[in-house]
Each structure stands twice: as C-alpha cells, then as structure tokens.
C-alpha cells in the first residue's frame, strides 16, 4: 500500500477474513485480563465474532461492569489467576501500572506454548524498569488499536473498524504471527500495519502527550484565553476555538484530508491558514522533538511509573482532572453541548 510515496505492507479483512481468524484460533481459549479501558471493547468484539473468550477481573466496580455486559461468573468471568490458568492466549489489557503490580502473579501462568498479548508496548519496551520479562517459551505479541476501547466497540457495532498496529516480539511456537493477525481481526480492526513493541510504545507516548491530547489541550486553551482576555464572550471563544473544529472541520479533513477541508472554507480562512501554519509548525516542532527525546530515552516511562506507584496517585489524578473539568472553557462546553440541535 502506498502511503504518500512510501510503500507499507498492511493487512485487511480481505487478506485475513474473519473465518480464517476463527479457524486459526479454534482450539484456543482467550482470556482478557482487565476490564478497564481496552478490555470491554476487545472482549465483547471477540465474543460477538464467535471466539472462545473469557474475562479475568478482580472483584469490584469493574467486575460488576463485566457482569452487566453479560459475562457470567464461573463460566466466562473469573478472577485474574483462574482466567490466566485456563487460557492459551493471555490478553494483558491492564493499565501499565496494574501490569507491573500483577506481573509476579501473571508470569506463573505463562507456561510453554501460551501467547502473551498486549495492546501497548510499554511494559515490554521498558522492561528494565517495569520488570516484565516473559519466559522464552511463550509467544509475545501485540495488537494496538489506534483509539480507545470505547471507539473500538462503537465502530464495531456500526460495522466499521478501528485501525490497529501489530507486532511480534517473541515467536516461541512458530505461530505467533498467525495468532496476532487472527486476534487483530477478531477484536474488530479495520486494517493493520506492522510495527515493533519499541516503535509502538514510543509513537504512542509521543502522540498522547502531543497532538492527540497534551498539545491539543494546550493549543485550545491558549487560543481560548487570548480571545477571552480581549473581550470575547465564553460562548464566542469556545465556538471559534473548539466547537467549529470538532463539529465542522474535523469531519471534513477526516473524510478527505486537510487540503479538501481548506478548499471547502472561505478564501479568507484559506489565506490565513496557509500563512500561519508555518509559524505554528516552526514554534511547535522543537517542543515535539524535545518530547520525542524524553519518550525515547525512557524518561517519560519513568515519570509514569513513579507517578502511578504513589499510594495517593488516584487522589492526585482526580484533583487534576477536576481542575480541567471545572475550567471555564470546558464548563462552557457543557452548555454548548446542551444547545446542540440533537439535544433539543
């Protein structure tokens, strides 16, 4: 497949159809360990696609959510240890912090011939910091959906697919790649492109801190603040900063590209965008390079490990998220969403 002049190999449902995936894994028991961010979407899609899948989750609110989603205690829903013992493929979909805490237990069930699956390369890439070193006689594989578990499930129910990267870190059985591709199709991937654990972890942490989350919040807030400081109302500042971007322009460049979106805006908007994209690029690229270097050296991984290991981590996290939620810009968003036609 040609990507802007660069040829990449991709796997689609035409090349690896669902019936082939089902046949590949017909003798496997797939245990999804963790029912938090990725667990529900991947496990439910696998179940709906006809795979032999169970869930491993400790008691609590998340366990109750699994029950509400139709997983049956003692039949398809177990504790982490029991599910891992029953599985031939252990899908480790816990948070990075939880993987580290559960690893001493989980590794006891990595018996020869099993597959250990991740949807993020963090634990393996920086295993000198996480301690997650798998035995040599198991497959270690990854399928990483390029979006949240919620998006994966929603798009599956709509008959679409969320693109995923995939990688084989360790092939102990000779069938690691077939297992990987079958699982990628089973969880509802659109198309899949090959990567490595290291590349996935590095690009993922860069993206989350950059254009996907960190940078976009910083950019939006900076523009919103400048507009407010110059006398614009919250509604006007929010609409010109966020609402028009997410509701009008994003669908356009998602559909056919940034050039097509530009072509469907006013000539005044086109001229301004073309003039100002270079100053923004020149200002931002050094920050992105600094970010990438921090990720590549393992500094960002260590910051996450240290923060997630604090006993009061959840309390501190909720405090920061509350401050974000209660900021004027995102409280304005609450009102704007209520005023959308579909909500009236």
């Amino acid at each position: 497949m040609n990507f802007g002049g660069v040829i990449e190999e991709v796997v689609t449902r035409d090349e690896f159809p669902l019936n082939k995936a089902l046949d590949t894994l017909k003798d496997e028991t797939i245990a999804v360990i963790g029912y938090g961010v990725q667990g529900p979407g991947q496990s439910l899609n696998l179940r709906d696609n006809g795979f032999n899948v169970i869930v491993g989750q400790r008691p609590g609110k998340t366990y109750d959510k699994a029950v509400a989603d139709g997983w049956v205690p003692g039949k398809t829903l177990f504790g982490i240890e029991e599910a891992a013992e029953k599985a031939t493929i252990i899908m480790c979909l816990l948070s990075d912090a939880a993987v580290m805490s559960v690893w001493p237990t989980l590794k006891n069930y990595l018996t020869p011939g099993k597959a250990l699956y991740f949807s993020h390369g963090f634990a393996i890439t920086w295993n000198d910091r996480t301690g997650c070193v798998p035995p040599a006689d198991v497959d270690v594989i990854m399928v990483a959906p390029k979006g949240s578990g919620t998006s994966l499930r929603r798009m599956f129910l709509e008959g679409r697919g969320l693109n995923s990267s995939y990688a084989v870190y360790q092939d102990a059985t000779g069938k690691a790649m077939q297992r990987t591709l079958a699982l990628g199709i089973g969880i509802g991937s659109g198309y899949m492109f090959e990567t490595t654990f290291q590349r996935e972890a590095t690009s993922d942490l860069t993206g989350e801190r950059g254009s996907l989350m960190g940078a976009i919040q910083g950019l939006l807030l900076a523009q919103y603040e400048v507009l407010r400081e110059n006398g614009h109302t919250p509604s006007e500042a929010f609409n010109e900063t966020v609402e028009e971007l997410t509701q009008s322009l994003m669908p356009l460049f998602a559909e056919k590209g940034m050039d097509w979106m530009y072509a469907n805006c006013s000539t005044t908007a086109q001229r301004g965008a073309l003039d100002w994209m270079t100053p923004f690029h020149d200002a931002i690229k050094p920050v992105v390079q600094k970010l990438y270097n921090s990720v590549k050296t393992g500094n960002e991984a260590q910051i996450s490990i240290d923060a997630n290991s604090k006993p009061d981590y959840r309390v501190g996290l909720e405090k920061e998220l509350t401050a974000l939620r209660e900021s004027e810009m995102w409280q304005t968003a609450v009102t704007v969403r209520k005023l959308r036609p579909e909500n009236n």
Side-chain angles (χ1 to χ4, degrees):
M1 192 72 66
N2 191 321
F3 291 88
V6 178
I7 304 300
E8 285 187 47
E9 292 294 326
V10 300
V11 179
T12 69
R13 298 174 189 177
D14 291 333
E15 283 113 17
F16 207 105
L18 179 59
N19 60 1
K20 181 178 179 180
L22 286 165
D23 186 63
T24 299
L25 302 180
K26 65 180 183 298
D27 298 322
E28 306 268 23
T29 298
I30 305 164
V32 171
I33 306 299
Y35 207 73
V37 177
Q38 282 288 337
Q42 294 199 32
S43 62
L44 291 170
N45 290 359
L46 284 166
R47 185 178 72 183
D48 288 355
N49 271 333
F51 293 86
N52 179 25
V53 58
I54 60 177
V55 171
Q57 176 62 46
R58 287 175 173 165
K61 290 183 179 179
T62 308
Y63 185 96
D64 295 339
K65 181 182 185 307
V67 173
D69 285 344
W71 301 100
V72 181
K75 292 185 178 180
T76 55
L77 177 60
F78 305 91
I80 289 175
E81 294 84 355
E82 189 174 358
E85 184 177 23
K86 290 178 178 293
T88 58
I89 298 175
I90 298 174
M91 296 178 68
C92 188
L93 299 182
L94 299 157
S95 69
D96 296 323
V99 172
M100 289 186 287
S101 66
V102 170
W103 183 255
T105 299
L106 198 62
K107 68 180 182 181
N108 295 326
Y109 300 100
L110 295 174
T111 51
K114 287 193 176 187
L116 175 62
Y117 166 109
F118 292 94
S119 280
H120 187 23
F122 187 104
I124 297 295
T125 298
W126 293 292
N127 60 16
D128 58 328
R129 302 166 188 260
T130 65
C132 299
V133 180
D137 51 10
V138 300
D139 293 342
V140 183
I141 61 179
M142 175 177 65
V143 178
K146 299 298 102 181
S148 70
T150 300
S151 298
L152 181 73
R153 181 61 176 167
R154 182 178 296 157
M155 293 175 74
F156 176 85
L157 293 174
E158 292 172 353
R160 300 188 293 149
L162 185 64
N163 298 334
S164 301
S165 60
Y166 69 93
V168 172
Y169 178 81
Q170 186 168 282
D171 184 4
T173 66
K175 57 183 181 179
M177 183 61 75
Q178 291 295 101
R179 279 171 147 176
T180 304
L181 297 178
L183 287 165
I185 295 299
I187 67 170
S189 299
Y191 78 81
M192 293 181 284
F193 57 96
E194 193 167 10
T195 187
T196 66
F197 273 64
Q198 190 274 336
R199 291 210 321 261
E200 190 282 334
T202 306
S203 60
D204 189 77
L205 265 66
T206 300
E208 290 168 347
R209 286 150 179 76
S211 65
L212 301 179
M213 296 175 69
I216 194 67
Q217 165 63 15
L219 173 62
L220 296 177
L221 182 60
Q223 180 171 303
Y224 181 88
E225 288 176 341
V226 168
L227 290 171
R228 290 288 290 122
E229 289 161 4
N230 283 276
H232 298 270
T233 65
S235 180
E236 185 170 55
F238 185 84
N239 273 278
E240 295 293 353
T241 300
V242 180
E243 190 74 354
E244 186 173 351
L245 172 68
T246 59
Q247 301 303 301
S248 174
L249 301 183
M250 276 188 172
L252 292 180
F253 70 77
E255 182 180 349
K256 292 187 179 179
M258 189 68 76
D259 61 322
W260 190 74
M261 185 267 276
Y262 277 23
N264 283 273
C265 293
S266 71
T267 54
T268 302
Q270 291 170 6
R271 183 69 267 144
L274 290 168
D275 288 346
W276 277 93
M277 68 182 186
T278 298
F280 272 110
H281 167 271
D282 292 349
I284 292 167
K285 188 169 181 180
V287 179
V288 177
Q289 188 62 60
K290 182 179 179 181
L291 163 60
Y292 186 82
N293 291 339
S294 185
V295 172
K296 191 172 182 179
T297 59
N299 182 56
E300 292 298 311
Q302 193 61 54
I303 290 171
S304 295
I305 291 168
D306 292 344
N308 295 343
S309 299
K310 293 179 180 178
D312 60 347
Y313 167 67
R314 288 288 177 186
V315 175
L317 175 64
E318 185 53 38
K319 185 177 180 180
E320 290 181 275
L321 292 177
T322 297
L324 185 64
R325 182 171 59 248
E326 294 181 354
S327 66
E328 183 187 276
M329 184 170 75
W330 293 114
Q331 283 301 300
T332 299
V334 174
T335 302
V336 171
R337 286 196 296 271
K338 290 178 181 176
L339 292 171
R340 289 176 187 164
E342 65 267 23
N343 294 326
N344 290 297

